[in-house]
Amino acid sequence: MFASVLIFCLPLLDRQETVTKVFIVEDHAIVREGLKLILSNRKGISVCGEAADGVTAIRKLLEDQCDVALLDITMPGKNGLEVLKQVKKEKPDLPILILSMHSEEQYAMRALRAGAAGYLTKESAPEKLIEAIIKVASGGKYISPSLAEKLAHTLDPQSQGKPHERLSDREDQVFRQLINGRTVSQIARHFSLSVKTISTHRSHILTKMHMKTNAELMHYAAINGLLTSSHEV
């Protein structure tokens, strides 16, 4: 009788639900707590760790075991794109989902090219976040219909993309600073680089974008929805 009960119970052990472990990288404590609350209320998902800056995020993501990393773009230390690239170099199979306050137009394409498994804005509904986590954890990609259309457009051999999309990652970082009114000296201090280096990047940016002044860059950014508040860059 005991043996028959044991045999009956064994299949129940096999039906235990797999839990997706999510690591949160977000510099705002209130947002981190909100994300943890959303995820803790979802069966089958648990938060296995968190980091508030890029340097700590890289260290913990390389040390810890998680199934999905939820990564912000704008953070102190190293930004989300830098974290993304470094972690993907060491852990190429780890799905990293970008959750950013920045619109798709600003960073999504660059993030996907760097290896992100998906891109979601913080304005998205909690249900979309859960859907995205489940999708990327299973090996899929999560992108919006508008972003999918943009990706398809880039496959057109005649499409060259928008001027700012031709910039290197460092040039793009400098570009974001310039369009928000930062001077070359301020940008140099921000990135701990020389004024000469930033001036060279600025020159390359203007050449690649076929422009001559910062004012032209700012006008271009305004009409393409690339401007953001100064504390967000």
Side-chain angles (χ1 to χ4, degrees):
M1 178 178 177
F2 177 77
S4 63
V5 172
L6 181 61
I7 292 171
F8 175 75
C9 291
L10 283 175
L12 295 179
L13 297 176
D14 293 335
R15 287 199 287 267
Q16 289 182 345
E17 186 175 4
T18 300
V19 175
T20 299
K21 295 180 292 182
V22 179
F23 190 99
I24 299 173
V25 184
E26 163 63 53
D27 62 323
H28 292 98
I30 291 178
V31 178
R32 281 200 312 277
E33 292 304 315
L35 289 171
K36 287 191 286 186
L37 182 61
I38 292 170
L39 299 182
S40 66
N41 289 329
R42 172 70 188 201
K43 187 177 180 181
I45 295 178
S46 69
V47 176
C48 64
E50 60 185 270
D53 64 85
V55 174
T56 304
I58 292 171
R59 177 175 57 79
K60 288 189 173 183
L61 283 171
L62 295 182
E63 291 175 352
D64 301 346
Q65 295 297 319
C66 65
D67 300 308
V68 175
L70 199 57
L71 179 63
D72 190 13
I73 289 281
T74 305
M75 296 182 297
K78 289 181 178 289
N79 66 38
L81 293 180
E82 292 173 309
V83 174
L84 171 63
K85 289 180 180 179
Q86 192 161 339
V87 172
K88 291 298 287 186
K89 187 182 296 183
E90 301 291 332
K91 287 188 172 182
D93 296 329
L94 175 64
I96 299 180
L97 178 64
I98 300 295
L99 180 65
S100 174
M101 66 183 298
H102 300 288
S103 67
E104 290 180 348
E105 181 63 38
Q106 290 179 302
Y107 285 106
M109 292 294 292
R110 198 169 290 273
L112 292 174
R113 291 194 191 104
Y119 192 97
L120 205 63
T121 67
K122 291 179 180 177
E123 296 171 347
S124 303
E127 294 78 13
K128 289 293 183 182
L129 174 61
I130 299 299
E131 180 185 339
I133 289 173
I134 294 172
K135 182 78 176 287
V136 302
S138 64
K141 301 287 185 183
Y142 187 88
I143 55 176
S144 68
S146 60
L147 187 54
E149 183 177 350
K150 188 173 179 62
L151 281 170
H153 184 66
T154 63
L155 297 176
D156 184 347
Q158 296 183 336
S159 174
Q160 296 183 348
K162 292 186 176 181
H164 72 279
E165 294 172 350
R166 305 175 199 144
L167 303 176
S168 70
D169 287 338
R170 177 59 81 185
E171 288 167 353
D172 183 70
Q173 291 175 335
V174 174
F175 168 69
R176 305 281 173 178
Q177 297 283 325
L178 289 170
I179 62 178
N180 280 281
R182 301 278 177 83
T183 66
V184 168
S185 297
Q186 288 173 325
I187 299 170
R189 287 194 298 271
H190 180 78
F191 291 119
S192 299
L193 296 171
S194 70
V195 170
K196 182 179 179 180
T197 297
I198 298 300
S199 295
T200 300
H201 284 313
R202 176 181 176 275
S203 178
H204 290 166
I205 291 166
L206 291 170
T207 299
K208 287 184 178 181
M209 298 184 65
H210 305 290
M211 296 179 189
K212 295 180 179 180
T213 66
N214 288 3
E216 288 182 274
L217 292 176
M218 295 174 73
H219 177 70
Y220 170 89
I223 63 177
N224 283 278
L226 301 178
L227 292 178
T228 186
S229 60
S230 59
H231 70 278
E232 295 167 5
V233 295

